[in-house]
Amino acid sequence: MEFLQCLFRLKRGHKRVVSVVVDSVFLCFAFWAALFVRVDDINVLTNGAYWALLIAVVPLSIVGFAKLGLYRAVLRYMGLQALTAILLGVVASTIALVIVAYYSEAQLPRTVPIIYAAFSLVFVGGLVPWFAHLRAQV
């Protein structure tokens, strides 16, 4: 609980940086989990084209989240604005994944973006209520 109290005492700008880093990690994890669920082979981690795809998609997704106002919202109370920003951000991230995969040499299976969207929605969207719940307990 001391770690959480330390997080909650951070300045607003530092909290935004933490949110961006956590969202980036979650998007990476969602991508690799979606790919692994679809391909079921751990050797996909050695494919450089997938790493390049991820390096292009994550910053585009974070910029999309920022433009949609996800990092401006007060996450203590989960409102319609935050839910809409998360949903539209995940859709934009998935579209970015499809477009970048199409123009790159990554042979991305067609179902991976759908699985990626589901995982991203759960990870990024699931963090907000959990964080608000923890905030209420501290």
Side-chain angles (χ1 to χ4, degrees), residues 115-131:
I115 301 168
Y116 168 78
F119 280 148
S120 297
L121 191 59
V122 169
F123 293 148
V124 175
L127 176 69
V128 174
W130 178 78
F131 193 70

Side-chain angles (χ1 to χ4, degrees), residues 42-106:
I42 197 74
N43 290 328
V44 295
L45 292 173
T46 62
N47 189 337
Y50 291 142
W51 285 101
L53 180 64
L54 189 63
I55 288 170
V57 169
V58 170
L60 289 172
S61 301
I62 295 300
V63 168
F65 286 159
K67 291 288 186 187
L68 289 168
L70 183 61
Y71 303 119
R72 281 191 311 246
V74 176
L75 299 179
R76 186 175 306 157
Y77 305 105
M78 183 77 164
L80 187 59
Q81 177 190 6
L83 286 173
T84 304
I86 291 168
L87 184 62
L88 290 176
V90 167
V91 168
S93 177
T94 305
I95 291 170
L97 176 68
V98 170
I99 291 171
V100 172
Y102 180 76
Y103 286 109
S104 70
E105 57 193 48

